[in-house]
Amino acid sequence: MSLTTLIHQLPKAELHLHIEGTLTPELMWCLADKHGITLPYKNIEEIRQAYLFEDLQSFLDLYYAGADVLRDEDDFFELMWAYLCRCNEQNIVHTEVMFDPQTHLHRGIEFGVFMSGFTRAIDKAKDEFGISVYLILSFLRHLPESDAMETLHIAQPYLDKVHAFGLDSSELGHPPSKFERVFTRVRELGFKIVAHAGEEGPPSYIWEAIELLKVDRIDHGVRCQEDQALLDHLKEHQIPLTVCPLSNLKLCVVSDMKQHNIKWLLEQGLRVTVNSDDPTYFGGFLNENYQAIVEALDISAEQLKQLVVNSIVSSFLPQEDQTRIITLIEKIYQAYAIE
Ligand code: HPA
Ligand code: ZN
């Protein structure tokens, strides 16, 4: 069995995935046509060719523009369904999916429209594939905290469908401390918390996410390498980092996959996981992210297994589900190791 086959066969969890970042150029084209929207591209190939980014902001500009083709309940169903079909193909047994309500509310689309599209697809995937899906409601950090508070208020009737809250969008200039009050409220309501930090932002943003927002996981976090005390803290408390290798390459967080620090972080004893972030914009779903680091960084089968186990133990799944999946991972890994 090759490492590529092992990547495919291991049951995995994905913990850092923006549903709006799974919109394919084909679906974008089709929905634009359906709603009579004129895109600034002549064809699907031109959309694909526009996916060249210099940094996070250059990506976000295109990502928010792309999301404008999502208008009705069916569109949100199709988006989620297409991603969950990919999960099924890639042996992703559990996924924790971020969505950005403010992107849609600000375009006049009501909360119930996207939530019912998402939950219809999630229920279908549960029935047909046995995949479990948790939703993470993410606040946009380039907007004021009052807008996040207002979003939390609007979301109230739907909170039984939400497992956790997150923080994403333009990182530089928008530190976690800007959102301390809204996340205090979210914590009081009993939700898990994640936040993007240390993708482009400095280690101090990761400290703020831990100490002020009291996050359960850090999204990205790769700049922790610059702060030894932070590395020690992340290791001691086993705070998971949801690392996204192809995203880091496409957004020029690293210049070459061979320079990526994921293997180094794993070898330091940090709880790192592999994820796809915005797969249709960054050139690969989850298995392609594993494949990219295995090839560039000479990751062993045992390290690969550790990354996959990390994805399960870093998830918000109940303990008994985690144990069942890890037993299966160990069985498949043993079959590989004795070959
Ligand atoms: N960083 C911040 N915000 C985002 C990202 C990201 O990688 N993807 C989608 N929103
Ligand atoms: Zn992200």
Side-chain angles (χ1 to χ4, degrees), residues 15-16 18 98 136-139 141 164-169 171 174-177 179 183 192-199 205-222 234 239-243 316:
L15 307 178
H16 182 160
H18 304 265
M98 278 179 265
I136 303 176
L137 190 163
S138 287
F139 296 127
R141 68 201 307 156
F165 282 76
L167 183 65
D168 61 11
S169 191
E171 187 180 7
H174 303 286
S177 50
F179 295 91
F183 279 98
K192 300 279 190 190
I193 294 174
V194 300
H196 284 57
E199 176 186 19
Y205 284 26
I206 304 177
W207 279 119
E208 284 191 10
I210 295 168
E211 292 181 335
L212 303 180
L213 308 191
K214 308 200 189 308
V215 292
D216 295 281
R217 296 194 296 248
I218 294 285
D219 291 321
H220 293 295
V222 289
L234 291 167
I239 300 171
L241 301 185
T242 64
V243 178
F316 298 138

Side-chain angles (χ1 to χ4, degrees), residues 2-131:
S2 67
L3 271 183
T4 303
T5 310
L6 187 61
I7 290 169
H8 175 77
Q9 285 195 350
L10 290 171
K12 296 164 290 282
E14 174 142 71
L15 307 178
H16 182 160
L17 180 285
H18 304 265
I19 195 61
E20 294 86 354
T22 68
L23 181 63
T24 59
E26 288 79 8
L27 186 57
M28 193 192 293
W29 188 259
C30 170
L31 295 181
D33 185 51
K34 169 180 164 184
H35 296 298
I37 299 165
T38 309
L39 293 172
Y41 312 105
K42 284 208 267 317
N43 51 47
I44 292 171
E45 195 43 42
E46 268 198 17
I47 304 178
R48 220 183 298 280
Q49 281 167 8
Y51 293 177
L52 283 174
F53 312 113
E54 291 153 25
D55 54 17
L56 175 58
Q57 194 58 50
S58 62
F59 154 69
L60 290 171
D61 292 343
L62 211 137
Y63 162 84
Y64 294 129
D68 188 42
V69 302
L70 301 162
R71 299 275 170 105
D72 63 28
E73 198 257 8
D74 269 345
D75 302 346
F76 290 97
F77 168 82
E78 288 298 339
L79 182 70
M80 182 65 83
W81 178 244
Y83 166 62
L84 295 176
C85 287
R86 271 310 175 111
C87 289
N88 188 44
E89 286 165 19
Q90 297 210 339
N91 275 320
I92 297 169
V93 295
H94 174 70
T95 178
E96 300 187 357
V97 176
M98 278 179 265
F99 68 109
D100 292 337
Q102 287 152 299
T103 300
H104 312 305
L105 294 170
H106 285 218
R107 299 183 293 119
I109 294 161
E110 286 181 7
F111 217 99
V113 171
F114 46 88
M115 277 311 261
S116 63
F118 290 155
T119 51
R120 186 155 61 91
I122 290 168
D123 291 345
K124 186 172 158 79
K126 223 172 275 175
D127 281 356
E128 293 190 17
F129 308 140
I131 293 175

